[in-house]
Amino acid sequence: MDRPRITIFDTTLRDGEQSPGCSMNVQEKLRLAQQLDRLGVDVIEAGFPIASDGDFAAVQSISASVRRPIIAGLARACTGDVDRAWQALQGAAHPRIHVFLATSDIHLIYKLRITREQCLEQAREAVRHAKSLCADVEFSPEDATRTDVEFLCQVVEAVIAAGATTVNIPDTVGYSMPEEYGQLIRTLREKVAGIDKVTISTHCHNDLGLAVANSLAGVQQGARQVECTINGIGERAGNAALEEIVMAMRLRPDRYAYQAGVASEHLFASSQMLAEITRVPVQPNKAITGRNAFAHEAGIHQDGMLKNPLTYEIMTPQSVGVPDSRLVLGKHSGRHALALRCEQLGHQFERRELDEVYRRFVVLADRIKKVQDSHLLELIQDVVKGNASNSDALSSESKKFPPAAVALPFPRSAVAAAGANANDSHPAQVSVGAGQAQAQPGPAPTNWFGGGVPTPIADHHGDQEDYLWGV
Ligand SMILES: [Zn+2]
């Protein structure tokens, strides 16, 4: 039972936010950080404090209010960055300074214009300085997978001697193959003095669709921290997807005998919240959290599902927090069912707010009979905004919600609708075929919340040098 513990380092708010169209304002980052806390991640990389005042404020505000996980702030390998990161982390219960410096020749020659010797010295000095401020220091040799292995070993050994407690090995450009990445981790473990005293971490990009496979290969060779993001968002093709890493380890302990502290039943809500905040929808066939991830269309699959869900499902939708759509929300639904569905969609309410959501819900349910998740999300947005009087709310809801059902963001019709003998002990759903009442693909989040979300602050990364966004 003593399976090695894997530290889940979530960088949705830092690397993830670098995705085109995914910038978030301070309030949105704080809300997502609170969800990541509920999800049970071990480390939240909250931002890059020197990059902008917005990033600084986000790290500061998350440090002050999210107390269980480690809060990391990113810094280039220079005094100003490290000091700024430390300043932002002042209020954190468990602060971490994350220092990075590129080590590949291509980055040293063309980007940084420094020699290997200068690089080694700069890394050592920056880590030493960070260590003088903070006990928990992580170092990332950016573009590690394209770095000369001997030199990489030298740098890693130097930063460990200078006080780094975690060494992260980024496949910054998403170029590595799983076997190759695993071999690199093994080489470091064999050659670097002091490496057994620190945590080795993976940070893999998905340019060839291998971020998750590479991360798992790293874990198999001794990495004990995985850097990842919700929905796999991140630079270019993104990072390793947190939900896929977690469920691979959970479902295949025969291959990956490790454990993570993540509460998988919060995965879906976290994914939905991110999509809602960034207004970047989750691709329908996204593993674990896409709306088709548990849908069964083909007749032979439906038949199997009805006889025994194990015929076509390797995990239950419930295990990752997908709402059981058979629980139809209508005007007879109670506050408890409503609160539960809100929570599954990523919203937790105080009593007073829930009262207001419930009041509006009853009015809406009376009119359109079946309240879909998309309706509910829009209604929630209105309450969160608190911008409408009762009568305004009624008339605006009347305009927004035509009686014909708009789609579920995660459309699945009930097993019961597709045939008899539904297995009630299993939440799996079978989407019914043509001619039946099949849910249609949902509108883009933009439409669900059109105008309802506070405008994000201006793109505060626009004027940054592009090499700020390393690792
Ligand atoms: Zn990255």
Side-chain angles (χ1 to χ4, degrees):
M1 288 307 285
D2 273 347
R3 290 183 289 163
R5 177 75 148 71
I6 303 300
T7 296
I8 298 294
F9 177 117
D10 181 280
T11 184
T12 306
L13 297 172
R14 200 280 299 168
D15 204 321
E17 206 221 3
Q18 294 171 217
S19 318
C22 282
S23 43
M24 298 171 236
N25 65 31
V26 175
Q27 286 70 34
E28 290 164 341
K29 285 183 180 178
L30 183 59
R31 186 174 154 225
L32 197 57
Q34 282 158 348
Q35 177 67 20
L36 292 169
D37 186 15
R38 272 194 287 282
L39 180 62
V41 306
D42 302 288
V43 185
I44 294 174
E45 186 161 56
F48 192 175
I50 197 130
S52 71
D53 291 344
D55 257 42
F56 183 90
V59 175
Q60 203 171 37
S61 119
I62 291 166
S63 294
S65 63
V66 182
R67 311 297 292 172
R68 181 196 53 81
I70 293 170
I71 307 297
L74 188 68
R76 286 172 300 184
C78 59
T79 309
D81 276 39
V82 170
D83 288 344
R84 188 78 174 144
W86 182 237
Q87 208 184 337
L89 290 165
Q90 278 308 294
H94 309 286
R96 171 180 295 185
I97 300 176
H98 180 190
V99 179
F100 76 96
L101 180 63
T103 50
S104 65
D105 285 337
I106 193 162
H107 279 234
L108 295 190
I109 293 166
Y110 295 103
K111 188 181 82 175
L112 299 174
R113 300 200 167 99
I114 57 174
T115 64
R116 285 188 182 181
E117 289 67 33
Q118 288 170 315
C119 169
L120 188 64
E121 193 49 35
Q122 192 178 332
R124 184 188 284 130
E125 275 311 307
V127 169
R128 196 176 284 153
H129 179 54
K131 188 71 175 184
S132 73
L133 304 169
C134 182
D136 187 344
V137 176
E138 173 168 334
F139 179 80
S140 290
E142 186 191 353
D143 204 18
T145 51
R146 293 192 302 172
T147 298
D148 174 75
V149 178
E150 290 299 317
F151 181 59
L152 183 65
C153 289
Q154 270 184 46
V155 173
V156 170
E157 197 164 307
V159 296
I160 292 172
T165 44
T166 297
V167 173
N168 181 43
I169 306 300
D171 184 25
T172 303
V173 292
Y175 180 70
S176 232
M177 294 288 137
E179 210 182 357
E180 185 184 21
Y181 187 77
Q183 175 63 51
L184 179 61
I185 302 295
R186 186 161 63 225
T187 302
L188 288 164
R189 287 183 69 204
E190 285 166 359
K191 294 196 169 172
V192 173
I195 192 111
D196 48 348
K197 294 184 301 195
V198 305
T199 301
I200 304 175
S201 169
T202 69
H203 180 109
C204 298
H205 277 270
N206 207 33
D207 298 68
L208 290 171
L210 292 168
V212 168
N214 285 342
S215 305
L216 291 171
V219 166
Q220 281 186 307
Q221 295 302 329
R224 290 293 174 263
Q225 173 178 288
V226 174
E227 301 196 356
C228 45
T229 59
I230 302 292
N231 295 340
I233 68 167
E235 282 278 14
R236 306 182 311 279
N239 288 69
L242 182 149
E243 58 276 6
E244 296 173 25
I245 298 279
V246 166
M247 292 313 286
M249 292 195 296
R250 186 145 306 172
L251 260 68
R252 297 303 305 272
D254 54 324
R255 292 274 163 175
Y256 304 106
Y258 312 99
Q259 51 179 332
V262 169
S264 64
E265 65 274 16
H266 291 301
L267 287 171
F268 183 71
S270 307
S271 165
Q272 289 287 297
M273 184 189 287
L274 177 64
E276 180 205 318
I277 288 174
T278 58
R279 303 182 216 182
V280 174
V282 183
Q283 75 188 65
N285 59 324
K286 171 76 182 64
I288 317 294
T289 51
R291 68 179 149 80
N292 289 347
F294 295 95
H296 301 272
E297 176 79 30
I300 193 166
H301 287 215
Q302 291 184 353
D303 182 56
M305 286 293 295
L306 292 170
K307 287 171 177 156
N308 184 343
L310 292 176
T311 51
Y312 286 103
E313 270 187 1
I314 59 170
M315 67 191 113
T316 65
Q318 278 169 332
S319 67
V320 299
V322 171
D324 185 347
S325 302
R326 280 180 303 172
L327 276 176
V328 174
L329 284 178
K331 67 176 173 180
H332 302 298
S333 300
R335 292 164 53 96
H336 182 241
L338 179 68
L340 182 67
R341 180 61 62 88
C342 290
E343 199 172 312
Q344 288 166 330
L345 293 170
H347 292 269
Q348 290 191 324
F349 290 112
E350 303 293 328
R351 195 196 155 88
R352 204 172 51 78
E353 279 178 319
L354 184 62
D355 283 346
E356 180 59 16
V357 173
Y358 186 65
R359 191 188 65 71
R360 295 188 188 210
F361 164 77
V362 170
V363 171
L364 183 63
D366 205 28
R367 200 168 54 77
I368 65 169
K369 311 301 177 207
K370 246 168 96 172
V371 178
Q372 308 278 13
D373 288 352
S374 54
H375 300 141
L376 192 53
L377 279 164
E378 202 159 337
L379 186 153
I380 287 168
Q381 282 302 312
D382 278 354
V383 173
V384 169
K385 273 192 311 179
N387 67 344
S389 71
N390 293 353
S391 56
D392 286 349
L394 284 180
S395 66
S396 74
E397 273 155 22
S398 298
K399 282 184 213 124
K400 267 188 292 197
F401 304 124
V406 182
L408 286 163
F410 204 91
R412 301 185 307 155
S413 305
V415 168
N421 303 322
N423 182 345
D424 285 334
S425 67
H426 193 285
Q429 305 285 315
V430 178
S431 80
V432 292
Q436 299 187 54
Q438 185 179 16
Q440 299 300 309
T446 311
N447 297 335
W448 306 342
F449 314 115
V453 179
T455 312
I457 54 174
D459 185 358
H460 49 258
H461 303 312
D463 56 354
Q464 297 300 321
E465 297 153 289
D466 59 358
Y467 68 78
L468 270 177
W469 302 110
V471 193

